[in-house]
Amino acid sequence: MKLSSVLSTVNQIEKSKFINFLDRICTEASSHDKQVAKQFKNIDGEIKNAPSGEVTQLFRLAQPLFQREVKSQLALSGAQAALLVNILSRDGNCVARLSWVEHLYEKEWKQIDAQAKSLKSLFEAAEQTEVYDEPKRLGIYYACLYEALHNDERSNREGKITDEERGILNVLAHKLDVTADNRVAIEHLIDPIPKTGVSDCLNQLREIGIAFVSKKHQTVYVPDEIVALLHRIQSKELADKHLLRILRTFSDAELSNILKSHDKRIRGVSRDEKIDTVYKMGLSVSQILSDDMHGEQSGVTEKKERLKTLIEDLQLALDKLGTTLEERCSLIIGALNSSTEHEFNILSATGYKSLFSTLSQHLPQLPKMLKEEFELEPNQDIDVEKLRALAITPYDILFMLSNEQVKSLKSDMGITRRGDPRQVILESFADATDKLVENYEALARRDLAALKQKNIEIAEADIGIKFEEVTKAIFEELGLTVDEDLRRDINTAKDKADILLSLSEDDIIIGEAKTSKKGDFAKYSTTSRQVKAYVTRCEGAGKRVAQVLIVAPSFSNDFVESAEMDTEVNISLLEAAGLKKILEAYKSRRNPKFSAKLFTKGGLLKADLIAKNI
């Protein structure tokens, strides 16, 4: 979830620690940073009373200072905080119930403890030999880490590892080829990580603005922006899902090359085990791409050609390929780090839901696979809204599957088009949405006969939902922001808004999509009660409702008059044929100019006039 969505979800008390931490940083920064000072002045120095949009803007400006302060505080917080941060910054854990976070912590602690005990016996055996092998290297790192932690005690000070010492240890670990999992286990041997106290440690993380804890929902939230910040602090080049995406495109031989480079066993090891081992080693992605994956005899030109093929395998749209090996590696990493928004935009909200539904039909185990891949609760229901909140894109789902599974899916779905199976599957769902957009008016009128003539099979009970989804898709094609995170947050079992369009961090349009089989839509009193309830909930979440927009096949005269005379809320009306006409005009222009403000005029909108002004 984005920071703005988290701020809208939690209450004032639950976001107070983040606000206080940001306030202190901005107060200090205002004396020497003009941009921060200007933004701080705009809210009169009162962050507590500022809307979430302005708080988010202030955070973006102060982010380098925020990151530096968080890094400093984490260095003082001990191994337990480091372990908890590692869990919360992993894919799928940025929104999780407290009980599930505690379960993940306990599971991780047991793994580290078991590995630490295994290493201890390895060190004892290594002392009996002079061979310079992995046990010997790990023993050297253990001795240096022990000294760094305990040298303070000789001066009667509390034993801790300073930033300078940590930097030296990081270089040492790299030179001795000590993998990330072994580093954590060795540190646990010397300075055991507490097995309990997760709740107290979470409160520590709240104090430094990393985590938000909702007592009402018993849920921990770590905003996407904070996750990215934590990755930078951890020197993590890529999110785990993107590293796994890369590893799954490698051949068995390339995976073996990586393992051989670090003296790991390869005989009798399955492909899945190889991927899992490399993933847990915590290697630098740059090192994997530039060196480890390639054969010993591979030259620079051969390595660059292999990375060119990798770019195609990962379906990355790069403006340039880079002239050097290092530049090509950097471009791949940069493209994956900035890919989430692009990957969500590949399919409309409707297309993503259709994709997930179809994949689940052909792969009934898909929800279970997603839970295992992203460490989600076993009893949790998985839907597209949940996946969006966790920043899990359609690409993430398809790259989670093996090449064989994707090819089998393509065949089972009856897709005969040639090309990369993942890309072809995605394009087929984009095409399905286009077909519904073409027949948007028939959908609005619930005209099943007309839809069947166009080979569109929809159950009558599903037409309302499909019309809502296709309306969202049209808004997205017009370049508008359909805010599914906010919609999920403000919706209740009783009040469920169809569409929320974000105009800015704080301004929104509430959209309602209404079908009608009987002709003109005429239920004004019912509709007005609905939208007024949505307005109240949005305002309660700190949003300003600029307009309510109702889309229907057509409206009765009474409905139009009632909407124009309503003094409690601003309502605009738009006929389905008119919205489609606006989209067609938009797509026909070379450089279209469209603003959501064209929907805020009130009353029955003149689609012809809007189309001319695009």
Side-chain angles (χ1 to χ4, degrees), residues 509-539:
I509 290 176
I510 296 174
E512 281 294 293
K514 303 292 185 182
T515 59
S516 178
K517 195 172 187 177
K518 298 177 182 178
D520 293 340
F521 191 70
K523 301 175 182 177
Y524 187 77
S525 58
T526 303
T527 305
S528 66
R529 280 197 301 271
Q530 286 178 332
V531 297
K532 285 168 187 175
Y534 307 151
V535 169
T536 301
R537 291 202 56 81
C538 288
E539 289 176 345

Side-chain angles (χ1 to χ4, degrees), residues 37 55 62 87 136 163 223 269 280 321 325 348 466 500 544 549 567:
V55 174
I87 292 169
K136 201 72 173 179
D163 275 351
V269 180
K280 289 179 178 176
L321 291 175
L325 182 63
S348 65
K466 279 294 177 188
L500 292 180
R544 289 189 293 265
L549 175 65
T567 57

Side-chain angles (χ1 to χ4, degrees), residues 412-429:
D412 292 345
M413 290 163 63
I415 300 172
T416 56
R417 201 184 320 163
R418 292 184 178 181
D420 180 272
R422 292 182 178 88
Q423 190 64 34
V424 169
I425 288 172
L426 287 170
E427 286 173 357
S428 72
F429 284 93

Side-chain angles (χ1 to χ4, degrees), residues 113-129:
D113 192 57
Q115 190 166 356
K117 288 173 181 175
S118 174
L119 288 177
K120 187 176 181 181
S121 59
L122 199 68
F123 294 155
E124 291 168 355
E127 289 176 1
Q128 312 302 319
T129 177

